Amino acid sequence: MTPPRFRHFAAIDWSGAAGERHAGIAVALCAAGDAAPALVRPGHRWSRGEVLAWLQDELPADTLVGFDMSMSFAHHDRGGYFPGWAESPADARALWALVEQICADEPHLGATTFADHHALAPHFRRHGGREGAAFGGGRGRFRQTEHAQARAGCRPYSNFNLVGAAQVGKGSLAGMRLLHRLSGTHAIWPFDPLPEAGSVLVEIYTTLAAIAAGRTAGRSKIRDWEELDTALAAFGTAPAQRHGQLSDHAADAIITAAWLRMIAHDPALWSPPLLTTALAQTEGWTFGAR
């Protein structure tokens, strides 16, 4: 498989927190070449709706967009997202539509009510010690791509876990509402075939970028510009040449945009050996995981 010739590279650090605007959202963008990625609207406190509008109306042509969220739930391990429920979605697009249907009344692309649904609550670990009988115990259920992340040195979290500072389930659910709106107008890999040209959205895990820059999962967070420049150098990227502190969310977006630019044209990353057609349509895959 020959990947398309992307001309721009974007990384979005995402948030599923309640409310409209979030310090945890950051968007970074760079063009082909070696210039350091720049923050889009630096200092701006993004809403999820604004990120959606940016992707719909302002995304440069031929951009590879990395989205720091999980685009689906575990399916392969038990043959379904919500085993035992007759209405469990058959594939990821049906899952996105279900999240939208259940959370339609929540503003700001929120999705906090999804896990409270009577048929779905047993599958989640929620606040207040509420662990559903189908959660599975321990760290919960994992997708095949999350096992690949672990082999790369990351410590992924189950998307069915909605508790703790490092949980990713809430952001993933909110992201599924965004994906539902973009489905059919934007190519979303691997649920869509990789187009020969145009922009493509992929799932990313920013810790993979940090590890590629020579850091460890435990030291993946960067909070000053000088340290960021050191990481960018590992990708052949020119320094940002700024000083002082920056948020770890901004740093994650910047370093991951540069990493995407470095690896985007590797055909092997678009054809992971474990990614079957069935897995692509149900669980998806994290770009850069093998």
Side-chain angles (χ1 to χ4, degrees), residues 68-70 146 156-173 205:
D68 188 25
M69 56 166 273
S70 299
E146 286 149 1
Y157 281 73
S158 170
N159 298 322
F160 290 100
N161 173 44
L162 306 181
V163 179
Q167 60 82 22
V168 295
K170 293 178 181 177
S172 297
L173 285 167
Y205 187 13

Side-chain angles (χ1 to χ4, degrees), residues 23 73 79-80 102 106 130 156 163 239 242 266:
F73 285 122
I102 291 175
E106 282 196 55
R130 296 173 296 168
V163 179
R242 295 184 59 181
D266 182 351

Side-chain angles (χ1 to χ4, degrees), residues 62-157:
D62 302 319
T63 300
L64 175 60
V65 182
F67 219 105
D68 188 25
M69 56 166 273
S70 299
M71 292 185 172
S72 190
F73 285 122
H75 185 285
H76 176 81
D77 62 337
R78 298 185 187 173
Y81 299 119
F82 310 108
W85 185 39
E87 298 178 44
S88 182
D91 57 30
R93 278 196 167 81
L95 173 62
W96 303 342
L98 178 66
V99 177
E100 175 62 29
Q101 175 189 334
I102 291 175
C103 303
D105 292 335
E106 282 196 55
H108 318 307
L109 295 180
T112 59
T113 58
F114 186 81
D116 294 329
H117 185 279
H118 67 90
L120 303 173
H123 297 271
F124 289 90
R125 175 185 285 155
R126 298 176 291 162
H127 288 87
R130 296 173 296 168
E131 181 173 310
F135 178 77
R139 297 177 62 213
R141 298 171 59 193
F142 288 93
R143 297 178 296 158
Q144 294 303 297
T145 191
E146 286 149 1
H147 291 301
Q149 293 170 12
R151 290 192 293 271
C154 302
R155 184 173 172 79
Y157 281 73

Side-chain angles (χ1 to χ4, degrees), residues 103 191 265:
C103 303
F191 311 99
H265 304 300

Side-chain angles (χ1 to χ4, degrees), residues 1 4 6 64-65 71 93 96 145 179 186-195 199-204 267-272 275 280-281 283-289:
M1 179 184 293
F6 295 108
L64 175 60
V65 182
M71 292 185 172
R93 278 196 167 81
W96 303 342
T145 191
L179 293 174
H186 290 60
I188 307 171
W189 181 88
F191 311 99
D192 293 311
L194 186 64
S199 297
V200 178
L201 273 68
V202 298
E203 173 185 324
I204 55 172
L269 296 180
W270 296 99
S271 300
L275 184 61
Q281 294 306 308
E283 292 194 355
W285 197 261
T286 308
F287 187 68

